[in-house]
Amino acid sequence: MKIDEDLLLSYGAIYMDYAAKENIFFTGHYPRYYFQIVKGTVELSNVLEDGKEIILGVFLEGNSLAESLLFTGQPYPMNAVAKTDCTVLRISRTGFLRLLKHDPAITLGMLERLSSDLFYQYHMHTIVAESQPLSKIKSLFDFYKDFIGVNNGRVFKVPFTRQEIAKMVGLRVETVVRTIKKMEQQCLLTIRDRKIYY
């Protein structure tokens, strides 16, 4: 759910700029702010003990970041990193909660957003649990296409690198590369200038 920028500003939000690859928040830090992306792309990820990175989600303009944790008081179980240069609106937890108390429509929208996030996470768990690489990648592309609202039959440019796909579905990059070539041979997708169109 995208909250109107002027409304956020009226409750004390400020614009923050982050360079590509800069952290917005870290695993273990306590949530103190609501973040809404104004421009750019942000990635939420975990780094496991063995150094393997798992991408939990990629968020675009208008999306908010891990706002559910503002209600629990628990530390972030993930990192948020600017994937591109970003501008983010940041409002304190206190200001954000005050906004929710005074605007029932925003509160209802936030509940819908949190429900959508849970749906996304449940679906991603199902994709990761798939045993066949082709099924994992196809399910990821189908889900993402639906999630961003691309109509059936329309081709869209997959916004993830092969390495990001591997991190999202729990495969090695080499497996993703081989599987994408196989999918191209089966006419399930096309590749132009190293970009994937599904």
Side-chain angles (χ1 to χ4, degrees):
M1 168 195 180
K2 181 178 180 179
I3 300 175
D4 180 73
E5 289 181 33
D6 290 333
L7 183 59
L8 288 171
L9 291 167
S10 73
Y11 278 84
I14 59 171
Y15 290 100
M16 302 289 294
D17 292 318
Y18 296 91
K21 299 185 180 179
E22 186 176 355
N23 280 74
I24 297 171
F25 58 75
F26 296 92
T27 299
H29 286 194
Y30 284 87
R32 295 176 36 219
Y33 301 101
Y34 169 84
F35 298 96
Q36 182 170 290
I37 304 167
V38 175
K39 181 183 76 173
T41 306
V42 176
E43 184 177 279
L44 295 184
S45 64
N46 279 332
V47 179
L48 305 177
E49 286 182 19
D50 63 2
K52 183 177 180 181
E53 183 182 20
I54 303 292
I55 295 176
L56 304 173
V58 177
F59 299 86
L60 310 172
E61 177 183 324
N63 291 146
S64 50
L65 304 172
E67 65 276 8
S68 61
L69 296 173
L70 290 171
F71 301 104
T72 67
Q74 299 296 316
Y76 289 117
M78 79 287 271
N79 299 309
V81 180
K83 190 174 171 190
T84 63
D85 289 345
C86 292
T87 301
V88 174
L89 262 173
R90 185 180 85 176
I91 182 173
S92 72
R93 178 180 183 275
T94 306
F96 178 67
L97 294 176
R98 198 171 70 241
L99 166 62
L100 292 181
K101 282 181 184 176
H102 290 90
D103 196 322
I106 298 290
T107 303
L108 182 58
M110 188 58 51
L111 288 172
E112 290 170 356
R113 163 63 195 220
L114 294 173
S115 297
S116 176
D117 286 352
L118 283 172
F119 174 77
Y120 176 86
Q121 292 303 323
Y122 294 151
H123 201 82
M124 288 304 295
H125 288 301
T126 303
I127 291 170
V128 170
E130 297 241 12
S131 61
Q132 297 299 316
L134 193 143
S135 296
K136 284 184 183 226
I137 294 170
K138 187 175 182 324
S139 293
L140 174 69
F141 292 171
D142 286 337
F143 178 67
Y144 192 78
K145 198 172 182 179
D146 284 345
F147 192 72
I148 63 170
V150 174
N151 296 332
N152 285 339
R154 281 188 46 215
V155 173
F156 86 108
K157 183 172 139 184
V158 175
F160 311 118
T161 66
R162 285 146 181 83
Q163 184 172 26
E164 290 169 335
I165 293 166
K167 291 176 182 178
M168 291 174 87
V169 297
L171 295 170
R172 292 180 30 220
V173 177
E174 297 81 8
T175 303
V176 169
V177 170
R178 279 194 309 272
T179 305
I180 287 174
K181 284 181 185 175
K182 183 177 180 181
M183 291 173 77
E184 182 182 33
Q185 291 166 353
Q186 294 177 2
C187 299
L188 297 173
L189 55 79
T190 58
I191 299 173
R192 293 191 300 259
D193 298 325
R194 297 197 33 81
K195 303 294 182 198
I196 302 167
Y197 293 86
Y198 182 76

